[in-house]
Structure formats: structure tokens, C-alpha cells
Amino acid sequence: MKKTLLACLLLGLSAQSLAATVEVLHYWTSESESAALEVLKQALAAKGDTWQDFTVKGGGGESAYSVLQTRMIAGNPPTAALMEGKFIQEWGALGFLSSPYTKEQTDAWDRVLPPMIQQFTKYHGEYVAVPVNNHRINWLWINPKPFKALHIPIPTTWDEFFIAADKLKAAGYIPLAHGGQAWQDATLFENILLGLEGGEFYRDVFERLDSKAITSDRMIHVLEQFRRLHDEIDPNSAGRPWHESVELLYSGKAAMMIMGDWAKGELMQMGAVPGKDFLCVATPGSEDYFIYGTDSFAILQQNGNATAIEAQRHLADVLMDRDFQRRFNQIKGSIPARTDIDMSTFDICAQKAAKLFKTAGATGRLLPSMAHSMAVDVQTKEVFFRVLNDFFTHPDMSAKQAVAQLNTALIAVKGL
């Protein structure tokens, strides 16, 4: 009897020692983002762990990273932080990230994660972040009701887009739902640049930072067409969060929206059905391309704190679990980071995205997003954000002035 009681006590202590408090910094506050996070919280709870929210509002994450840096410098890091692409590499270089995983774990991840995701989540060959999804950025979301009512075809070129926008505006609709924030403006810009000039020019501008491309007549033309988009949004867009623009699309006040597939997650939370209540088509001219953005949870240096390191291992086990990634991404709107997940239970837009991801990868048409930190470092992204936002919102700035400012600032950032 005493042995039995002792065994039970030891088992209880063992279970207690395995439990952990998992504090995660993030900036996901919309309905769909919160619902997707709930899947993570429930999965951790099933392991006996306690979720501790560390939320910093701001759709692009800039405010969150500032708060995180303060915590790190003070020696009080959370367990992990939501982080994108190049940010992970920069934080790794600062010595803020760690890789507390076994070779068995990371070998298993290597087998199911695409090389381009491994590129961003590893630092010096070791995983310092755990990826949960893959977003396609070049989506044009359509509310079909205005198009049917006015007998307007869905646009596949930018000329067709502006023709449709004029007809929609004349009928009292907002042609393009958009929130006037720098990251949202940059998202529009990378989409129209790709659609007008193609993937090689996209790489010249955003990956190679080629001065000849940036100051070219082609770039000036793209900027002029980008400026035209400002006439297709409503006058109340300044500072509006992206999910409020989704509501305009859902209600039928707006007819179109250019945004990554987190917009689909939000529409589905509202009860909209893909393929029926809204359509997912490529932004004009980008049908065969996949501009990608990946959400990952960076693993923060814990300075030998064994309890915190155990919490990080628990979190990674959940994040890389196949069933978790399936359920999480069905809500978030994205496709799983893992490539071994059956997509048959996903919506038609996600299935299309998964197929496009594979074909784009095979044909060299998989492109990293500038606006979502996959193509450029933080300083370079901020240059694009500032110049593009200034140009988009100040009609007195010419396209020639914008390219000159952009090129000068990028040269300064590159230290040339």
C-alpha cells in the first residue's frame, strides 16, 4: 500500500514537473487570429501547460518588436514571440534566439518543411523559430454580388481592374477595401508591381535592390498605376485596421480587396463561404505566382532557465504537430508549413493555394514578400514603407521624386 501511494505521488510530481507556463508575444487580435490562437491554447492545455498571453496590438508587429526588445534587454524574455522572415535572422544575429531541440526533432522537421521555410527559421544551421503556416499574399478577394448585379467580369489584368472599378464606383460601391497603413500600402504595391512587370523585375527590386530597376521607367510606370489605386478606396481608409476593411467586403459595401489569405480566415469567421459568398482569384497578372509570407514563433534565449526551456520544447511539439497545423490553418486562412498534411478537408481557396505553392516552387515563381518581411531586412523594409506610404498619400509627390528618394535611401541603408 505504501509503495502504491509512493508511486502515485512520484507520478503526480513527474506530471507537475512536465507542466509549463508558456508566455508568447504576438499581435494577433482579430476574430480569426484569436480563434486560431485558441487552437494553440487548447493543445497546450491538453499537455497540462498554461498559456500566458503577451499581446501587443498592431497588425504589422512593429510595436510588438519594440516591446520585445525592451524585455530582452531587461533579461526578462517570454517563451517565444511571433516573428516573420528576416526579423528572425536579425534577432538570431543579436544573440536573442536559441535552439533547445534534439537532433531527432529537427531531423524530423527537415523532412516535412520546404527549404525556403527552413531558410528563414534556421540560424547558423539550427532551428531558432518554429513555423506554423504559409500565406499567399497575391489574392484578390471578390464579393460576387456587385459584379453580378452590374454584369461586370472578374478582372484578370490591371486594365480590366480599373475599368471594373470605375463601373463599381459609379454604381455606389467602394471598388477596393483598403486600410491606410504603411504595411497595407506596401502589400498593394508589391502586388501591382508583380502583375505589371513580372517575377524577374520583382526580384530585381525587392531581392537584388537593383538601382537600375528601381530608377527605371518601368518602376515609374508601376508607381503611377499604384497611385491610381488610391482613387478606388474610400475616404475613411486612413489608419483603418485590415480586418475592418474585410467587414466592408463582407457587407457588400466594397467589391474587392487585395490582401493575404488571413482575409479569408476573417471572412469565414463572419460566416462567409469560400466560392459562394466570396471568390478567391489571383491579383491581376499574377495567376502563376505565389508571393509568400510565413508566420513563425521565434524561440527566445532563456539564459539557462530549465523550466522556461522545457516550456519551449512543449510549445514546439504542439506547433509542429500535424493535427494542430491542420486545425490552426483551417481557421487562420493559410496553408500548413508542413508539406505532409492532407488538404482535402480544407476550403477550396486553401486547396488552390497548396497546389500553386508546389507549382510555383517548381517553376521559379515562388516570391518572398517585401511587405511581410520575407524579402528584405528591417531597415530596408522601413525605407520601402516610408516612401511608398508618402507617395500613395501625397498627390504632390511625383513618381520620379519617389524613385529618387527610394534609391537614395536604399543606397544609404546598404552602405554603398
Side-chain angles (χ1 to χ4, degrees):
M1 181 67 178
K2 289 182 179 179
K3 290 183 178 179
T4 303
L5 288 172
L6 179 60
C8 290
L9 179 61
L10 290 172
L11 283 171
L13 289 172
S14 176
Q16 190 176 19
S17 67
L18 289 174
T21 297
V22 179
E23 184 186 15
V24 179
L25 179 143
H26 65 89
Y27 42 90
W28 284 344
T29 56
S30 76
E31 290 294 325
S32 58
E33 291 169 338
S34 297
L37 271 181
E38 190 60 34
V39 176
L40 176 55
K41 294 175 185 179
Q42 290 173 2
L44 285 167
K47 284 182 169 289
D49 298 332
T50 302
W51 172 275
Q52 185 174 334
D53 234 2
F54 182 9
T55 308
V56 179
K57 291 185 178 181
E62 288 79 11
S63 298
Y65 296 139
S66 296
V67 174
L68 178 61
Q69 189 168 17
T70 301
R71 285 277 302 265
M72 296 301 299
I73 292 171
N76 181 30
T79 307
L82 178 62
M83 207 170 282
E84 296 174 326
K86 295 285 187 176
F87 276 91
I88 297 169
Q89 300 303 303
E90 294 186 22
W91 281 69
L94 291 170
F96 285 157
L97 306 184
S98 66
S99 181
Y101 305 114
T102 67
K103 188 175 186 302
E104 183 181 15
Q105 284 177 300
T106 56
D107 284 350
W109 299 350
D110 282 345
R111 290 191 290 270
V112 297
L113 292 175
M116 65 82 163
I117 289 183
Q118 293 185 37
Q119 172 189 347
F120 290 110
T121 52
K122 287 182 177 181
Y123 183 72
H124 287 174
E126 293 188 326
Y127 284 98
V128 293
V130 185
V132 292
N133 64 10
N134 194 8
H135 283 291
R136 189 190 190 204
I137 311 298
N138 54 311
W139 283 117
L140 176 63
W141 306 102
I142 301 284
N143 186 319
K145 291 180 180 178
F147 284 86
K148 289 179 181 177
L150 299 174
H151 305 287
I152 301 173
I154 304 300
T156 59
T157 68
W158 283 103
D159 285 342
E160 291 174 356
F161 176 94
F162 288 115
I163 290 170
D166 286 345
K167 293 179 179 178
L168 288 161
K169 188 158 46 177
Y173 296 100
I174 300 168
L176 186 67
H178 180 68
Q181 296 175 319
W183 72 267
Q184 296 189 59
D185 294 344
T187 300
L188 285 186
F189 181 76
E190 67 183 13
N191 271 281
I192 197 167
L193 182 145
L194 174 61
L196 290 172
E197 297 295 340
E200 198 59 27
F201 190 74
Y202 183 102
R203 292 189 188 279
D204 283 342
V205 172
F206 296 132
E207 293 190 273
R208 302 182 186 106
L209 304 177
D210 182 358
S211 288
K212 289 183 178 179
I214 289 168
T215 58
S216 67
D217 289 342
R218 295 169 72 184
M219 186 69 159
I220 289 172
H221 174 66
V222 171
L223 281 163
E224 290 170 344
Q225 298 307 300
F226 173 57
R227 168 74 61 69
R228 289 180 68 186
L229 289 174
H230 198 276
D231 296 332
E232 313 305 343
I233 62 182
D234 67 285
N236 299 316
S237 67
R240 183 166 58 213
W242 66 272
H243 55 88
E244 291 183 11
S245 294
V246 175
E247 292 175 7
L248 291 176
L249 184 71
Y250 173 76
S251 69
K253 293 179 181 178
M256 297 180 283
M257 184 174 186
I258 294 170
M259 187 57 69
D261 43 23
W262 51 89
K264 179 193 67 180
E266 200 72 7
L267 285 164
M268 292 173 69
Q269 281 295 304
M270 296 173 185
V273 178
K276 178 184 175 184
D277 301 313
F278 65 92
L279 308 178
C280 50
V281 299
T283 52
S286 73
E287 176 63 35
D288 297 327
Y289 289 93
F290 192 115
I291 302 179
Y292 65 85
T294 299
D295 291 316
S296 302
F297 287 90
I299 306 306
L300 299 169
Q301 181 61 250
Q302 299 296 321
N303 302 312
N305 184 329
T307 302
I309 291 170
E310 186 67 19
Q312 291 176 330
R313 292 182 178 131
H314 285 204
L315 177 63
D317 285 342
V318 169
L319 294 174
M320 282 300 293
D321 179 76
R322 187 183 299 164
D323 185 58
F324 164 76
Q325 289 211 1
R326 176 185 61 79
R327 293 185 295 123
F328 174 89
N329 285 287
Q330 285 174 335
I331 295 172
K332 186 69 166 63
S334 41
I335 59 176
R338 295 180 63 124
T339 58
D340 62 343
I341 294 175
D342 180 8
M343 296 296 297
S344 64
T345 59
F346 281 70
D347 65 85
I348 59 172
C349 300
Q351 291 181 26
K352 182 177 181 180
K355 291 177 182 177
L356 282 166
F357 179 75
K358 290 180 180 179
T359 57
T363 58
R365 296 187 176 188
L366 198 59
L367 301 172
S369 169
M370 173 277 293
H372 299 276
S373 307
M374 308 306 291
V376 296
D377 60 33
V378 176
Q379 283 186 303
T380 303
K381 186 181 81 166
E382 288 304 317
V383 168
F384 276 108
F385 276 22
R386 177 177 56 79
V387 175
L388 292 173
N389 181 254
D390 285 350
F391 175 76
F392 197 56
T393 56
H394 294 88
D396 55 329
M397 181 188 290
S398 71
K400 288 185 178 180
Q401 288 174 320
V403 297
Q405 285 189 20
L406 184 61
N407 190 53
T408 299
L410 290 174
I411 288 172
V413 166
K414 289 186 290 184
L416 299 179

